[in-house]
Amino acid sequence: TIISLTKHVKKYIVSVRFMTPIEKSNINIISYNLYHNNASKDLAHLAEEYSVDIFCLQEADSSELPEKIGNLKIAGSTDKNRLDLVIYYNPTKFRLVGTKAFVLERSAHDLIMSPSNQRLLAAKLISKDSDKPLVIASFHGAPLTDINRKRKRQIREAHTVLREFGGDDPTIMTGDYNYPFFKKNLEKVIGLQGYEMALSDKFTYARALPGRYDFVTYSDAIVTDVLTLPKGLSDHRPILIKATDL
């Protein structure tokens, strides 16, 4: 009957209206160049102040860093560099599948200051909320003693090996790109690889050539914001990357 049908429709509308939506999990990532490990003392404060889920560090001394920082646990580090790349992650939020360090095209600095040619560290994580994978990577481009073209090739190579490492998994690479100029051209180049670029709201380096040296490139991931944080003990400012679990 019409009355019976109306009751069923109302019941369906009420049930749909009060269905609990599937909430996406927010991920807070901080990238920080520790300036010869001098800014390692900033990490505990940053982890607590910004509810950090992942640290991507550059110019670290892994032998002097703790196994844990607050709720974060070390995932891995480079092992052939004078100064290391290090990744920390939140084990209550992620399960660590594995890490791998990559040797990229060597710069003049690498040849002179060897060993320092592992310029990329990647970790594959699985979200405990969604059971979905995420590849996170810490990158450190060649210093300004090399031409921009060298860093562009390193970035492209990094994206290529990350694709080999993680397949089509969502990927976020962040770090000190040492890339102060011609970012529009870089954005076009990495776009051909299926990557996007996000810059922070303020300069991350304010010495001789100020600019946004620290930023993020990503593929099949959702980055909602990138913020430059207050200056600490490093010559770089840390950046906070806000991402969303797919």
Side-chain angles (χ1 to χ4, degrees), residues 147-188:
I147 57 176
N148 235 21
R149 194 179 302 119
K150 173 76 73 175
R151 285 179 288 279
K152 185 189 295 182
R153 291 200 297 266
Q154 288 178 334
I155 294 166
R156 290 177 62 190
E157 185 182 0
H159 290 164
T160 298
V161 298
L162 286 175
R163 191 75 74 186
E164 294 169 359
F165 176 73
D168 294 328
D169 292 344
T171 300
I172 297 175
M173 182 174 97
T174 185
D176 177 7
Y177 285 67
N178 274 322
Y179 210 99
F181 310 117
F182 310 116
K183 290 189 179 72
K184 286 292 184 183
N185 178 261
L186 175 64
E187 192 170 17
K188 291 178 182 178

Side-chain angles (χ1 to χ4, degrees), residues 96-212:
L96 176 65
V97 177
T99 61
K100 186 174 181 179
F102 296 90
V103 174
L104 303 180
E105 181 178 339
R106 300 186 75 182
S107 66
H109 179 273
D110 296 333
L111 295 171
I112 296 169
M113 301 296 291
S114 182
S116 57
N117 57 336
Q118 288 179 321
R119 292 198 167 271
L120 179 70
L121 176 68
K124 184 169 183 176
L125 306 171
I126 302 293
S127 169
K128 291 186 175 180
D129 290 334
S130 66
D131 202 36
K132 292 182 179 179
L134 173 67
V135 173
I136 189 77
S138 181
F139 171 79
H140 195 184
L144 298 182
T145 48
D146 262 291
I147 57 176
N148 235 21
R149 194 179 302 119
K150 173 76 73 175
R151 285 179 288 279
K152 185 189 295 182
R153 291 200 297 266
Q154 288 178 334
I155 294 166
R156 290 177 62 190
E157 185 182 0
H159 290 164
T160 298
V161 298
L162 286 175
R163 191 75 74 186
E164 294 169 359
F165 176 73
D168 294 328
D169 292 344
T171 300
I172 297 175
M173 182 174 97
T174 185
D176 177 7
Y177 285 67
N178 274 322
Y179 210 99
F181 310 117
F182 310 116
K183 290 189 179 72
K184 286 292 184 183
N185 178 261
L186 175 64
E187 192 170 17
K188 291 178 182 178
V189 169
I190 66 172
L192 298 175
Q193 296 182 292
Y195 272 77
E196 299 178 69
M197 178 171 66
L199 304 177
S200 59
D201 57 335
K202 299 175 184 176
F203 284 1
T204 66
Y205 187 79
R207 286 196 171 181
L209 290 170
R212 293 175 175 85

Side-chain angles (χ1 to χ4, degrees), residues 38-53:
N38 290 325
S40 59
K41 295 177 182 178
D42 294 334
L43 296 175
H45 165 72
L46 290 170
E48 182 178 1
E49 180 72 15
Y50 299 99
S51 302
V52 176
D53 298 304

